[in-house]
Amino acid sequence: MSGDGRKGNHWFDDEAGPVVRPYAMTCGRTSHAAQHRMDLIAVVVAEPGMRDPEADHALSPEHVDIVERCRDAPRSVAELAAGLDLPVGVVRVLIGDLMDGEYVRVRRPVPPAQLPDESILRDVINGLRAL
């Protein structure tokens, strides 16, 4: 028995079963080369006409789950992390793997500075109405 009254060092919950550590899902990697493009609101989109991710034995169940979630609708990195109940860093690495395999692509949202000014849009609408 250990000093805290537990038998051995259990890294699992008897009810939940063994826990897979996040670094095991990423093979110990903590980042991906494409990670600079993946902030929390970056949108992940499944590539049209991609091959079946379940047939790729190099992909984990988490990879396949990400692709399936993005097939229905584009998802943000934060939404995927929350839906998978995984740390954002792990999800970024997994998405990077899927980008390498051409299963998904990541779109960055348009920065507010590049959006047209509301007054310009009003002027355009008013100009169209005047025609």
Side-chain angles (χ1 to χ4, degrees):
M1 218 186 246
S2 64
D4 62 0
R6 294 182 296 160
K7 289 172 100 177
N9 284 332
H10 290 290
W11 57 275
F12 60 89
D13 179 335
D14 289 333
E15 292 178 19
V19 176
V20 176
R21 300 287 186 202
Y23 64 85
M25 290 179 209
T26 62
C27 299
R29 295 171 296 147
T30 58
S31 65
H32 188 275
Q35 190 162 334
H36 69 280
R37 296 176 46 201
M38 289 186 258
D39 57 9
L40 292 176
I41 59 173
V43 177
V44 182
V45 180
E47 289 286 1
M50 72 181 132
R51 61 192 184 282
D52 181 19
E54 290 188 36
D56 188 340
H57 299 294
L59 297 180
S60 70
E62 291 79 16
H63 285 112
V64 174
D65 200 11
I66 289 170
V67 173
E68 292 301 321
R69 288 171 188 261
C70 294
R71 273 187 180 158
D72 298 335
R75 311 280 178 172
S76 71
V77 173
E79 185 179 0
L80 288 169
L84 295 168
D85 196 26
L86 291 173
V88 173
V90 170
V91 173
R92 285 180 175 150
V93 172
L94 297 175
I95 292 170
D97 295 343
L98 292 169
M99 289 172 61
D100 291 346
E102 298 180 350
Y103 289 100
V104 300
R105 61 188 148 89
V106 175
R107 293 190 317 220
R108 294 180 64 146
V110 178
Q114 293 180 358
L115 293 173
D117 185 30
E118 187 177 334
S119 64
I120 293 173
L121 294 175
R122 278 197 195 111
D123 291 343
V124 170
I125 290 171
N126 291 335
L128 290 172
R129 285 184 183 152
L131 292 175

